[in-house]
Amino acid sequence: MSEKDNLERQLSDMLTEGELQQQQNREEKERELISPRYEIRIQTKMDPIVEETKIYRGMAKELDDRYDKYMKRAEGDGASESKSLENEKS
């Protein structure tokens, strides 16, 4: 009889744990659907990508010029270069 009681207890535990997990999964999905009330944006004076690229260029020579367009945009206004990039794409 103890084996039967043990099996019933294990079955009961598995069923209740499954229900709890489903409820938790449902709550997590509901939280994902709710959009955040606030959005935080931080504006910086310097671009960390530009600074890091300058450091790497100081240490070694680049084999390809993949960051040249980005560096030109970052050093200049950015508005005129972004328009010219859009014109190149179309």
Side-chain angles (χ1 to χ4, degrees), residues 69-88:
K69 289 181 184 178
Y70 184 81
M71 294 295 284
K72 286 178 185 176
R73 262 191 297 154
E75 290 172 0
D77 179 13
S80 59
E81 283 83 4
S82 63
K83 288 180 183 176
S84 65
L85 288 175
E86 289 174 4
N87 291 336
E88 287 178 9

Side-chain angles (χ1 to χ4, degrees), residues 1-7:
M1 244 207 206
S2 65
E3 185 178 341
K4 183 180 176 183
D5 292 336
N6 189 19
L7 289 174

Side-chain angles (χ1 to χ4, degrees), residues 51-67:
E51 299 300 320
E52 192 171 326
T53 304
K54 287 179 183 178
I55 292 170
Y56 284 129
R57 283 185 172 182
M59 293 187 312
K61 181 181 176 185
E62 260 184 305
L63 296 177
D64 56 355
D65 299 326
R66 72 173 81 171
Y67 292 106

Side-chain angles (χ1 to χ4, degrees), residues 9-73:
R9 185 182 50 78
Q10 287 178 354
L11 180 61
S12 174
D13 289 344
M14 287 191 307
L15 290 174
T16 55
E17 286 177 8
E19 291 173 1
L20 289 174
Q21 287 177 352
Q22 289 176 354
Q23 184 178 2
Q24 289 174 350
N25 289 339
R26 187 179 330 121
E27 289 175 359
E28 288 175 8
K29 289 178 183 177
E30 289 172 357
R31 280 190 212 122
E32 289 175 1
L33 293 176
I34 297 173
S35 62
R37 292 184 182 180
Y38 303 102
E39 183 175 305
I40 299 172
R41 293 183 183 201
I42 300 172
Q43 186 174 2
T44 61
K45 293 183 179 181
M46 64 177 186
D47 187 358
I49 296 172
V50 172
E51 299 300 320
E52 192 171 326
T53 304
K54 287 179 183 178
I55 292 170
Y56 284 129
R57 283 185 172 182
M59 293 187 312
K61 181 181 176 185
E62 260 184 305
L63 296 177
D64 56 355
D65 299 326
R66 72 173 81 171
Y67 292 106
D68 282 344
K69 289 181 184 178
Y70 184 81
M71 294 295 284
K72 286 178 185 176
R73 262 191 297 154

